Amino acid sequence: MASFLYRLGKFSYRRRWLVISIWLAVLVAVGGSAAAFHGTMSNNFTIPGTETQRMADKLKEALPDASGGSASVVFDAGDAGFDQAKKDAVSAALTKLEAMPDVQSTVNPFTTQEQLDKAAGDIAAGEATAAEGKAQLDAGRAQLTAGEAQLAATEQQLAASGLTPAQIDAQLAPTRAQLAATKEKLDAGDKEAADGAVKLALGKRQAEASEGLRFVSSDNKAAVAQVQFKTSINAVDPAVRKEVQDIVQGVSSAGVTAYASKEITEDVSEIFGIAEIVGVAVAALVLILMLGTLIAAGLPLLMALIGVAVGVGGTFALTSVIDMSSISPMLALMLGLAVGIDYSLFIVNRHRGQLLAGMDGEESAALATGTSGNAVLFAGLTVIIALAALVVPGLPFLAVMGVAAAATVGVAVVVALTLTPAVLGLIGRRLISKRAWAKAAKHNAEPGHEATDRELEEKRSSGGWGGLVTRHPWVSLIASIVLLGALALPASQLRLALPDGGSEPVDSQAYKAYDLTRSSFGEGMTGPIIVVAEFPGGLSENDAKNKQYDVADRLRSVENVVAAVPVALSDDHRTAVFQVIPKEGPASAGTVQVVSDLRAKGTAIHDDLDTTIGLTGQTAGNIDVSAKLGAALPPYLAIVVGLSLILLLLVFRSIVVPLLATGGFLLSLAAAFGAVVAVYQWGWLGGIFDVANPGAVLSFLPIILIGVLFGLAMDYQVFITSGMRESFMHGESAKHAVRSGFSHAAAVVTAAAIIMVSVFSGFIFSHLTMVRPLGFAMAFGVLIDAFVVRMTIVPAIMYLLGEKAWWLPKWLGRILPDVDVEGAKLDRSDRSKTSSEELVH
């Protein structure tokens, strides 16, 4: 592989304009495709086959009008409260919303609250009317009975007087007709009373089901309206979301402030913001300080941007045919920038050092591609494999996310191996400043400088951080493990969920909507649970309604359920929909328990009421996704760890090094989890990281962090340890090889880690709050892994083990292929004979 990459580097250097032209053509083609074919991204994290998805499909089939996604808008009237003018302004805005083609319906809070408030009075009035009617009916029955008795007595008297039956009938016919009419009227009254009693009973049950539910706050200062769309909430176009916000915010002219919920305000159409640009700027500063010139510093940045443009552009081009969450291109962007800069930096730094040592430019670019490029290829493959393995848990949105990020990393590797040497050929000597050239020329001209270089190299390897660690290996090892163990302690409290409005920035409209809803109506109103019930066939309308209230009573009996309200019934009386309001918010542990208890209650409901229930909606769906991701975590971790052991065994031909690398990865992973829990779940340093409302950790953060951190940790393991192995293979003692190999790699790995941390840190303050904990986890994980694990624990243990670190059973050594990651066996004489024609042919 090293020889192939050497020839590839030489070809790219010589045919630089061809290579650059090809990449420009690719860039234009991908950009055009992204512009022409991109679709709408969403945050749709549903999982096919789950109960949530089955119930959503059932609802769409049986009650299409109730199957669309819903969101809320909260109206704040201020201290003065709602007067009629303010109510009219809100009602007018909701009427405008209903006229939108994408809106199915709206729930006017004032009309609904008025109905709820009237319900108790109407029931009382109905009961009074029913009692009065019953009294009248009873009196009428008594009169009818008395009239019938009087008629019978009269008939006997007439018969005794000698009248014929015909004469009696003729005389009593008017009285009998009058009594028959009275009886008919009383029978009708009884039926009407019975119907009224049924309606009254249903009304009472409706009022009981709605008890505790409000749409206008008790202090008359806030009102919450529901907006139902014709499609799922994730399929609502950003332009429609913006139009909804513009319409409801029109109430400001009446002195009312409107806050749309997160479902409406969330805009996932843009993935790059100011915070991300700051992260890239910090990376640029590090490159300038390390490489010395703007041209040299700009080269890795340019390579990373081209790789990201192609990778993320290709991802965007597929959004019209693939259901893609907003975090997919964000993850691809995050990783593409970080690894793109690092991979090009490794090659550029090697090339720069070789040029200063007097090597020819073409030979240096080829050799840098064959050596550092070989390590880049392997490091990139580890990241790609780890990300591509995200398809293993069987979660579609996670698979798309992993494949998109893996493809972008793959593009970054190809850019580093082909476009970097081509641009190096274009730049030539301008890569290095005149001052550095003059200093190098003077140094190379000095007689005996080779011995001086070796002496300086020896002094450098025994000093610095590597020298300190190897002089005090036990202290370094124990201190590092204690530090990582302390950082990992909070990880035991890790709780997973998808974010709600409470995780948004405090100055955002979504957070204000969440906060006002929580304070005015209860936290549960921010995330209602949808329950779908399937009734037996053949029920009348009244029977179906009674069945609805029977089910609602059972649902309301679940602990921490505030209300369970029937909201829809299908025309065939077979499917009913309920809105269950939990006591706590959608991402809380209490609501997770409510969902579990509701499902457990389903067994009793089925046995007692012959009714099957299932849960759906955003809240239940998010909980299902989090549970599924949590269950997928252990097998995925096992796959990644197993992969780590096999790959590192191939690369380093050692038993100890793979175990050490994997153990270090698990330590840094646990520390990263602990830090995420402390900041985003417990709220430590929340003011610094803009965590206004600490809560559960993003549900797919752990599985993504495992894949990404594994790949990046192996990057640093390769660049740190391969130098040690090369020194050891060239005859140095095992302990000395640790120092010399560390000194060769320390500067570039430090710069690479700082760059990666800077890029990831830029996402900690992203405009997409879902990405923030992911950016923090990756930045902190890389920081810990690079500086504590790879640059402290690894050299300390390898120095303590000495030659035992490179032990490999002979039988295994014969089986394993020699990968030669650093290109240590690349023959210089063969290199001089290599030509671009050999590569072509």
Side-chain angles (χ1 to χ4, degrees):
M1 182 57 71
S3 297
F4 170 78
L5 292 177
Y6 171 85
R7 294 194 299 272
L8 179 63
K10 180 163 283 195
F11 172 83
S12 298
Y13 190 95
R14 286 183 177 178
R15 303 290 183 88
R16 59 191 72 118
W17 284 114
L18 174 62
V19 173
I20 292 171
S21 299
I22 291 173
W23 275 110
L24 284 175
V26 170
L27 195 59
V28 170
V30 170
S33 298
F37 304 118
H38 77 278
T40 301
M41 290 182 297
S42 71
N43 280 330
N44 184 12
F45 302 115
T46 56
I47 305 175
T50 60
E51 176 189 288
T52 305
Q53 191 60 46
R54 288 198 307 273
M55 289 299 102
D57 295 340
K58 170 71 177 175
L59 199 56
K60 190 173 182 179
E61 176 185 344
L63 277 165
D65 290 346
S67 65
S70 64
S72 63
V73 180
V74 193
F75 298 95
D76 184 1
D79 294 335
F82 283 101
D83 55 22
Q84 193 57 47
K86 293 178 179 179
K87 291 180 180 180
D88 291 343
V90 170
S91 299
L94 295 176
T95 301
K96 285 184 181 179
L97 287 184
E98 282 195 339
M100 292 177 61
D102 297 273
V103 174
Q104 181 72 42
S105 63
T106 63
V107 175
N108 188 310
F110 305 109
T111 304
T112 308
Q113 188 64 52
E114 185 179 351
Q115 292 171 350
L116 290 175
D117 292 341
K118 284 180 61 182
D122 289 346
I123 290 170
E127 288 178 336
T129 302
E132 183 181 348
K134 184 176 184 301
Q136 291 176 350
L137 286 172
D138 289 344
R141 287 290 180 194
Q143 291 176 358
L144 177 63
T145 302
E148 288 175 340
Q150 187 177 358
L151 177 66
T154 302
E155 186 175 4
Q156 288 178 355
Q157 290 175 357
L158 293 174
S161 66
L163 295 177
T164 64
Q167 291 173 325
I168 294 173
D169 288 341
Q171 189 172 342
L172 295 180
T175 304
R176 286 175 175 168
Q178 185 179 0
L179 289 174
T182 300
K183 185 176 184 304
E184 185 178 350
K185 185 177 179 181
L186 288 173
D187 289 343
D190 286 339
K191 185 177 184 305
E192 185 179 346
D195 292 342
V198 170
K199 290 180 180 179
L200 186 61
L202 290 174
K204 289 177 69 174
R205 301 196 72 181
Q206 173 73 40
E208 290 172 358
S210 303
E211 188 177 353
L213 184 66
R214 293 193 65 85
F215 292 86
V216 178
S217 63
S218 55
D219 60 7
N220 195 40
K221 294 179 181 179
V224 59
Q226 301 290 330
V227 182
Q228 186 175 13
F229 296 92
K230 292 182 178 178
T231 62
S232 69
I233 196 67
N234 297 304
V236 178
D237 190 86
V240 175
R241 297 171 187 267
K242 182 66 170 60
E243 186 178 355
V244 170
Q245 293 175 63
D246 290 342
I247 290 175
V248 297
Q249 286 167 3
V251 300
S252 60
S253 59
V256 180
T257 305
Y259 300 118
S261 66
K262 176 177 179 286
E263 292 78 14
I264 295 174
T265 61
E266 190 171 53
D267 183 6
V268 298
S269 59
E270 294 183 5
I271 63 171
F272 209 79
I274 302 231
E276 292 86 344
I277 295 172
V278 171
V280 174
V282 174
L285 180 61
V286 173
L287 289 170
I288 292 171
L289 293 175
M290 180 181 182
L291 300 176
T293 67
L294 288 173
I295 292 177
L299 180 55
L301 280 173
L302 178 63
M303 298 300 99
L305 290 174
I306 290 174
V308 163
V310 173
V312 177
T315 301
F316 263 110
L318 295 174
T319 53
S320 60
V321 293
I322 297 176
D323 186 14
M324 191 175 297
S325 67
S326 61
I327 205 169
S328 296
M330 282 296 288
L331 181 63
L333 173 66
M334 206 184 298
L335 285 174
L337 279 175
V339 303
I341 293 172
D342 280 1
Y343 292 166
S344 291
L345 172 62
F346 291 135
I347 295 174
V348 170
N349 187 62
R350 180 99 179 209
H351 175 65
R352 181 176 179 275
Q354 291 168 170
L355 287 180
L356 289 173
M359 188 177 291
D360 172 70
E362 179 180 318
E363 178 65 16
S364 175
L367 184 59
T369 307
T371 52
S372 291
N374 202 13
V376 163
L377 177 62
F378 173 78
L381 284 174
T382 61
V383 181
I384 291 169
I385 292 171
L387 290 170
L390 289 172
V391 303
V392 172
L395 311 178
F397 71 89
L398 191 64
V400 171
M401 200 181 300
V403 171
T408 303
V409 172
V411 172
V413 171
V414 177
V415 166
L417 296 177
T418 58
L419 189 57
T420 299
V423 177
L424 287 175
L426 195 64
I427 294 173
R429 293 172 60 89
R430 287 173 294 173
L431 183 73
I432 302 170
S433 66
K434 293 180 180 179
R435 183 179 177 183
W437 273 120
K439 185 177 179 181
K442 181 180 178 181
H443 175 75
N444 292 335
E446 293 176 357
H449 69 86
E450 293 86 355
T452 305
D453 290 345
R454 284 193 296 272
E455 183 180 342
L456 183 62
E457 182 68 28
E458 180 65 27
K459 183 178 180 181
R460 187 173 64 179
S461 66
S462 60
W465 183 253
L468 178 65
V469 169
T470 52
R471 283 196 302 273
H472 308 286
W474 282 111
V475 174
S476 302
L477 179 60
I478 293 171
S480 298
I481 292 177
V482 169
L483 172 64
L484 294 178
L487 289 171
L489 285 176
S492 62
Q493 303 298 315
L494 179 66
R495 188 167 60 83
L496 303 178
L498 286 172
D500 56 24
S503 63
E504 297 293 305
V506 291
D507 59 346
S508 68
Q509 187 180 174
Y511 180 83
K512 291 175 181 177
Y514 178 90
D515 191 48
L516 184 58
T517 303
R518 174 177 57 183
S519 60
S520 300
F521 304 99
E523 199 169 5
M525 279 290 284
T526 63
I529 301 165
I530 305 301
V531 176
V532 181
E534 297 180 64
F535 294 160
L539 294 179
S540 67
E541 183 177 358
N542 282 340
D543 288 342
K545 286 183 177 180
N546 275 306
K547 184 79 75 173
Q548 272 187 297
Y549 295 127
D550 289 340
V551 173
D553 290 343
R554 299 297 184 95
L555 298 177
R556 199 166 58 257
S557 69
V558 171
E559 188 176 1
N560 288 326
V561 168
V562 175
V565 186
V567 293
L569 180 66
S570 62
D571 292 337
D572 63 1
H573 307 148
R574 294 291 304 273
T575 304
V577 183
F578 302 82
Q579 191 175 70
V580 176
I581 309 297
K583 185 178 181 181
E584 299 178 21
S588 69
T591 300
V592 174
Q593 186 60 47
V594 167
V595 168
S596 177
D597 292 345
L598 286 171
R599 285 174 170 153
K601 182 69 72 173
T603 303
I605 291 174
H606 181 271
D607 293 342
D608 298 341
L609 303 177
D610 192 21
T611 298
T612 302
I613 68 165
L615 274 58
T616 188
Q618 196 82 6
T619 299
N622 288 353
I623 291 171
D624 283 351
V625 169
S626 299
K628 187 83 171 178
L629 286 167
L633 201 56
Y636 179 71
L637 181 59
I639 291 170
V640 170
V641 169
L643 183 64
S644 166
L645 291 171
I646 295 171
L647 289 176
L648 292 176
L649 183 65
L650 288 172
V651 171
F652 295 112
R653 301 178 66 80
S654 161
I655 297 294
V656 174
V657 172
L659 292 174
L660 175 58
T662 304
F665 158 67
L666 294 176
L667 281 174
S668 56
L669 181 67
F673 281 160
V676 169
V677 170
V679 173
Y680 290 92
Q681 191 171 312
W682 292 355
W684 292 6
L685 303 177
I688 296 175
F689 295 103
D690 195 18
V691 182
N693 192 28
V697 173
L698 183 67
S699 56
F700 48 79
L701 182 148
I703 201 165
I704 292 178
L705 182 62
I706 288 172
V708 172
L709 189 59
F710 161 71
L712 301 181
M714 296 309 105
D715 282 3
Y716 299 131
Q717 182 72 29
V718 167
F719 287 110
I720 286 286
T721 318
S722 58
M724 299 177 185
R725 181 173 183 270
E726 186 177 0
S727 298
F728 179 69
M729 296 300 292
H730 285 171
E732 294 184 19
S733 69
K735 290 181 180 288
H736 191 276
V738 171
R739 287 183 171 178
S740 61
F742 184 91
S743 67
H744 288 150
V748 70
V749 169
T750 299
I754 293 173
I755 288 168
M756 202 164 284
V757 169
S758 300
V759 172
F760 288 154
S761 295
F763 290 86
I764 295 175
F765 301 98
S766 171
H767 64 292
L768 290 177
T769 53
M770 188 182 300
V771 176
R772 293 182 175 190
L774 193 56
F776 174 86
M778 290 184 182
F780 190 82
V782 168
L783 183 70
I784 289 295
D785 192 85
F787 294 108
V788 179
V789 175
R790 308 303 153 189
M791 299 182 71
T792 305
I793 292 178
V794 167
I797 292 180
M798 294 192 69
Y799 189 84
L800 289 170
L801 291 175
E803 292 190 5
K804 293 178 182 177
W806 303 108
W807 175 77
L808 183 73
K810 292 182 179 179
W811 64 269
L812 187 57
R814 289 192 296 268
I815 297 173
L816 294 177
D818 192 351
V819 179
D820 188 25
V821 173
E822 268 297 317
K825 297 182 179 180
L826 197 58
D827 191 279
R828 299 294 177 99
S829 60
D830 287 344
R831 292 202 313 268
S832 63
K833 298 175 184 177
T834 305
S835 65
S836 60
E837 286 76 19
E838 290 176 318
L839 180 65
V840 176
H841 299 294

